[in-house]
Amino acid sequence: MQLSLQGKTYVIMGVANKRSIAWGIARALHAAGARLIFTYAGERFENEVKKLVATLEDDTALVLPCDVTKDEEIEACFAQIKEQVGVIHGLAHCIAFANKEHLEGEYMNVDREGFLLAHNISAYSLTAVAKAAKELMTEGGSIVTLTYLGGERVVQNYNVMGVAKASLEASVKYLANDLGKYGIRVNAISAGPIRTLSAKGVGDFNSILKEIEERAPLRRTTTQEEVGDTALFLFSDLSRGVTGEIIHVDSGYHILA
Ligand code: NDP
Ligand code: KAL
């Protein structure tokens, strides 16, 4: 069986710049011949996404706004995709956000508003977009989201984002159960730390990366390309028996005590 995605269409949510994991996934799918559609949240990243799309061989990809905190924007986005493209075969959800002040110190200092914001954008949004995408996945499909080890274990400073990722990972399983009967699979990739815009401003990111280089079974940090290739597998028929799964792409770091 080949990893060609020729004739298939995928929605990529969460490209902010060329370092985004979403862009690594986009490149892997593009190389396999897929047609891509991109969504962005804030206007500040619209031009960045359009600039990146222009570097692709097929630079005709649709680029649409979709702030996942707004139901009407999700609705309008998928209505436009339906009108312009019709059927889609997969969706990459690469979206997370928490207030900076809640990503340091003690977890319990998070307030109600910050807790709900992190869960709204980082966890609920998967369910909201999966429901919208299902209507367009009439030939079956594959949904992939991104998570981190901090959703399974306590990782310093990850705090409310860890609690949101736990919710996201449980959502993957419940959605997989709901959508399996329509031939739609739902999985997550638990990626090792990668230097992206989201990771910027994290004080000790260098020491986090150093620890991975020294201790992870593969003795190296995770790359966008590694995550992209696993996403390609999850979007292809090679993974047709896999759903509700959390696949770690982290040089094996998660097996360590
Ligand atoms: P980026 O900063 O490149 O991407 C984060 C994306 O989240 C941005 O594109 C941003 O969109 C989007 N986003 C934030 N708020 C909203 C919103 N309201 N509606 C729609 N989109 C929104 O970082 P990464 O590539 O690192 O992050 C992608 C995913 O990977 C996240 O889920 C993250 O938790 C996960 N992950 C990252 C790891 C890492 O080490 N980098 C490790 C493990 C998991 P916009 O730019 O348009 O605001
Ligand atoms: C333990 C780790 C160290 C870092 C701690 C927390 C990281 C949380 C990730 C979260 C997505 C970051 C933010 O929400 C940043 C946000 O407050 C400010 N940044 C922005 O607004 C930028 C401009 C936009 C583009 O960012 C977003 N997200 O919209 C975790 C490390 C080791 C691994 C990481 C980085 C995991 C992860 O989930 O990203």
Side-chain angles (χ1 to χ4, degrees):
M1 186 155 317
Q2 289 301 306
L3 270 179
S4 167
L5 298 182
Q6 209 89 42
K8 304 268 170 86
T9 302
Y10 298 85
V11 177
I12 313 279
M13 310 185 81
V15 175
N17 61 27
K18 67 172 198 272
R19 286 171 177 265
S20 294
I21 297 176
W23 185 243
I25 294 175
R27 276 183 297 157
L29 298 192
H30 182 258
R35 176 176 184 183
L36 302 177
I37 296 165
F38 294 89
T39 74
Y40 60 90
E43 270 170 27
R44 61 189 171 150
F45 290 113
E46 180 180 357
N47 284 339
E48 190 68 34
V49 179
K50 287 189 170 158
K51 230 168 56 192
L52 287 171
V53 168
T55 67
L56 297 175
E57 229 168 83
D58 169 18
D59 60 0
T60 61
L62 272 182
V63 180
L64 301 169
C66 190
D67 178 339
V68 294
T69 61
K70 298 181 177 140
D71 285 338
E72 63 280 10
E73 237 173 79
I74 295 176
E75 209 176 295
C77 173
F78 284 89
Q80 203 162 338
I81 294 172
K82 187 175 182 176
E83 190 186 304
Q84 304 217 19
V85 180
V87 177
I88 62 168
H89 303 91
L91 178 142
H93 172 277
C94 316
I95 292 171
F97 185 88
N99 286 330
K100 214 169 161 32
E101 69 261 33
H102 300 138
L103 299 171
E104 56 191 10
E106 293 185 337
Y107 160 68
M108 65 181 173
N109 289 332
V110 69
D111 55 18
R112 191 186 300 273
E113 202 184 328
F115 182 96
L116 292 175
L117 178 71
H119 284 70
N120 188 10
I121 297 180
S122 318
Y124 174 70
S125 64
L126 177 69
T127 299
V129 301
K131 203 171 166 192
K134 172 205 171 253
E135 300 306 316
L136 280 63
M137 290 184 178
T138 50
E139 299 170 4
S142 171
I143 297 174
V144 175
T145 187
L146 291 166
T147 188
Y148 175 62
L149 188 61
E152 300 169 60
R153 302 192 205 155
V154 173
V155 174
Q156 205 183 2
N157 295 329
Y158 204 59
N159 296 0
V160 69
M161 188 53 72
V163 182
K165 290 298 192 190
S167 165
L168 178 75
E169 291 180 19
S171 305
V172 164
K173 296 171 194 174
Y174 278 90
L175 288 169
N177 188 49
D178 284 350
L179 295 173
K181 54 182 167 296
Y182 305 109
I184 300 170
R185 299 182 289 107
V186 187
N187 294 287
I189 296 173
S190 186
I194 298 176
R195 198 182 292 284
T196 62
L197 197 51
S198 280
K200 218 174 169 165
V202 172
D204 54 355
F205 201 70
N206 281 339
S207 58
I208 295 173
L209 294 178
K210 190 160 168 264
E211 150 123 359
I212 306 261
E213 277 170 359
E214 286 171 356
R215 293 191 63 227
L218 295 178
R219 301 288 195 277
R220 54 180 160 79
T221 54
T222 303
T223 65
Q224 272 177 322
E225 288 73 22
E226 288 171 345
V227 177
D229 285 348
T230 297
L232 174 58
F233 161 72
L234 287 172
F235 283 126
S236 81
D237 274 354
L238 286 183
S239 61
R240 63 196 175 281
V242 182
T243 195
E245 188 63 278
I246 317 289
I247 301 185
H248 293 82
V249 180
D250 67 348
S251 300
Y253 186 78
H254 70 284
I255 66 172
L256 299 179

